[in-house]
Amino acid sequence: PVEFVAEQGRAVTVIDVRGDVEIVGPTGYIPGSVRLPFDRLAEVWRALPRHSPVVLVCSHGDIAAKGAAYLETLGMGFV
């Protein structure tokens, strides 16, 4: 995600959807990211930026992809 964010040339919100146990250890916290576990996405999606790109990240990509698909069904176009 760091390379993608750098290439955008504008504000990008990086959302880390990993669970609490997944951020412990070598993969740890992603500097500059917003911690929002996947299971809370439905509660707070309205507070996410609507007019700038949002990048979801997780350990393997599958949960982030599910989260991005969910946000797109809600009308968020920059995911």
Side-chain angles (χ1 to χ4, degrees):
V2 174
E3 294 82 14
F4 175 81
V5 171
E7 292 171 0
Q8 296 308 299
R10 61 181 172 165
V12 174
T13 302
V14 177
I15 300 176
D16 188 344
V17 295
R18 296 177 295 165
D20 292 337
V21 259
E22 295 175 288
I23 63 165
V24 177
T27 58
Y29 172 74
I30 300 169
S33 69
V34 175
R35 283 270 303 121
L36 179 57
F38 177 78
D39 59 355
R40 294 203 51 232
L41 200 54
E43 297 171 33
V44 298
W45 71 271
R46 286 182 180 89
L48 299 176
R50 309 276 291 166
H51 303 291
S52 62
V54 173
V55 176
L56 276 65
V57 295
C58 69
S59 297
H60 301 286
D62 54 336
I63 300 298
K66 286 181 188 179
Y70 173 71
L71 292 176
E72 288 173 347
T73 66
L74 297 173
M76 292 196 62
F78 292 106
V79 182

